[in-house]
């Protein structure tokens, strides 16, 4: 069974740091891109970051670029999100998601859909 | 940056057809994915690449995409379909994922 299990959430003060982890099982982890998506309380989904299967390519939303770092350890089947300089507006449930098959055409590559999601981990930034 | 626009809410009677739209500039040239999210649960992929259904998703769910509008259609709506629905694309011009604001489907 394909599973994603997030951990590492909690309460942190503004300006602080936190590292989220996402343990994957049931599929060949290194063959798939992975992503983080967050959802503030009562709000919609917001994409945060994505990383290719090899880890060689990373993508970030403007709202977190320069503060968050996505990475992966394919030997441990684990995805990470290092979050620094946290702000109140970063308060949200953070989901990791497996990215399905993408495609490339005309030299441009397209990320696939988020076909498997974890249950999420809550991050609260407050003093 | 690319923007996706969804109606905040759609209401439908049981057994009828619900259509949830997702508007974007020339969205027909992009691949659209749709997610269902019930309260307190993680999102679930219901349609990918405009009109493909993952295994386990009922045939009542279908999708289309043309021009400036993509549409998620739910036929023979059931009470269990009540949820928030989000459209999503990959904006290759900026290498960013974009989500629509979400539509709350209410089954009357």
């Amino acid at each position: 069974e394909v599973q994603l299990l997030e951990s590492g959430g909690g309460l942190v003060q503004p300006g602080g740091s936190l590292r989220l982890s996402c343990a994957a099982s049931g599929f060949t982890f290194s063959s798939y891109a992975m992503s983080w998506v967050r959802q503030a309380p009562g709000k919609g989904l917001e994409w945060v970051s994505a990383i290719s299967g090899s880890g060689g390519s990373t993508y970030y939303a403007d709202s977190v670029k320069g503060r968050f770092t996505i990475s992966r350890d394919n030997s441990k089947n684990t995805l990470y999100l290092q979050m620094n300089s946290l702000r109140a507006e970063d308060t949200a449930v953070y989901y990791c998601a497996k990215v399905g098959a993408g495609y490339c055409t005309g030299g441009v590559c397209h990320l696939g859909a988020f076909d498997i999601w974890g249950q999420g981990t809550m991050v609260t930034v407050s003093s | 940056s690319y923007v996706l626009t969804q109606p905040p809410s759609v209401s439908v009677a049981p057994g009828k057809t619900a259509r949830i739209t997702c508007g974007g500039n020339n969205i027909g040239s992009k691949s659209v994915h749709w997610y269902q999210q019930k309260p307190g649960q993680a999102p679930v992929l219901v349609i990918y690449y405009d009109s493909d259904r993952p295994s386990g998703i009922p045939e009542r769910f279908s999708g289309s995409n043309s021009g400036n509008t993509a549409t998620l259609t739910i036929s023979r709506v059931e009470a269990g379909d009540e949820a928030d629905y989000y459209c999503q694309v990959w904006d290759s011009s900026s290498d960013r994922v974009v989500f629509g604001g979400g539509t709350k489907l209410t089954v009357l």
Side-chain angles (χ1 to χ4, degrees):
Chain A
E1 180 190 6
V2 177
Q3 260 193 325
L4 299 172
L5 184 61
E6 302 95 337
S7 61
L11 174 64
V12 61
Q13 292 188 339
S17 298
L18 211 55
R19 187 175 86 154
L20 306 183
S21 300
C22 172
S25 60
F27 64 100
T28 304
F29 183 68
S30 60
S31 295
Y32 294 92
M34 297 291 294
S35 188
W36 290 97
V37 177
R38 68 185 181 184
Q39 187 170 36
K43 302 297 185 182
L45 301 176
E46 180 189 14
W47 174 72
V48 173
S49 183
I51 186 169
S52 62
S54 67
S57 296
T58 56
Y59 311 89
Y60 296 94
D62 291 343
S63 58
V64 306
K65 195 168 187 176
R67 300 187 300 122
F68 291 11
T69 301
I70 191 171
S71 62
R72 63 191 298 160
D73 185 337
N74 287 343
S75 68
K76 295 182 178 179
N77 289 350
T78 303
L79 174 72
Y80 302 101
L81 185 67
Q82 177 67 44
M83 304 185 295
N84 298 330
S85 303
L86 283 161
R87 307 165 179 165
E89 54 264 37
D90 295 319
T91 294
V93 174
Y94 284 72
Y95 296 100
C96 71
K98 171 182 169 290
V99 181
Y103 67 95
C104 296
T105 180
V108 177
C109 292
H110 301 257
L111 208 67
F114 301 144
D115 57 4
I116 302 293
W117 296 65
Q119 282 306 302
T121 186
M122 183 70 201
V123 172
T124 302
V125 184
S126 175
S127 55
Chain B
S1 60
Y2 195 76
V3 175
L4 295 175
T5 301
Q6 296 183 238
S9 62
V10 168
S11 298
V12 63
K16 299 299 185 182
T17 297
R19 293 180 179 84
I20 298 172
T21 59
C22 176
N25 184 35
N26 197 25
I27 194 174
S29 68
K30 300 182 183 299
S31 295
V32 181
H33 314 303
W34 290 92
Y35 304 89
Q36 175 194 69
Q37 186 181 33
K38 296 181 179 179
Q41 298 184 18
V44 172
L45 179 67
V46 294
I47 292 290
Y48 63 105
Y49 288 125
D50 296 342
S51 59
D52 290 338
R53 268 179 298 104
S55 60
I57 300 301
E59 291 184 9
R60 301 184 296 105
F61 288 80
S62 62
S64 63
N65 183 20
S66 178
N68 293 317
T69 304
T71 303
L72 172 69
T73 301
I74 309 171
S75 305
R76 303 180 299 283
V77 167
E78 302 174 357
D81 298 330
E82 192 163 275
D84 294 325
Y85 291 84
Y86 297 89
C87 58
Q88 176 251 307
V89 301
W90 170 253
D91 180 21
S92 56
S93 65
S94 63
D95 282 349
R96 301 282 188 276
V97 170
V98 181
F99 281 101
T103 298
K104 180 176 181 59
L105 176 68
T106 299
V107 181
L108 301 171

